[in-house]
Amino acid sequence: TVHEGCIYQLKLFCGKDYPDNPPSVRFQTRINMTCVNQETGVVEPSLFPMLANWQREYTMEDILTQLKKEMMSPQNRKLAQPPE
């Protein structure tokens, strides 16, 4: 895929209401994905079902696993990526 061999940095910020409310997730590294705001790197909750339908039982690992699956999805795996 276009993500092969790439290293991405993310920031997950848990507010005082975590785990009742989802953390904010932001890519520090530029990435082209349908659920990521191209200007800010923020994973848009409205476009990323796990954040939109957050459940208290979800973990940081669950978020990362779902992001990886999203990267492999047909709509994202062939998107041209910004230069590093």
Side-chain angles (χ1 to χ4, degrees), residues 15-65:
K16 62 182 178 175
D17 295 330
Y18 177 83
D20 292 320
N21 290 319
S24 61
V25 182
R26 183 173 164 252
F27 277 85
Q28 299 291 97
T29 311
R30 292 186 63 206
I31 188 170
N32 189 9
M33 284 176 62
T34 56
C35 61
V36 176
N37 181 302
Q38 294 303 298
E39 300 297 318
T40 63
V42 170
V43 176
E44 299 288 351
S46 62
L47 301 174
F48 190 65
M50 175 169 266
L51 295 179
N53 303 306
W54 183 254
Q55 295 181 22
R56 191 176 208 286
E57 298 78 30
Y58 292 160
T59 65
M60 301 286 172
E61 183 179 3
D62 294 331
I63 293 170
L64 295 174
T65 300

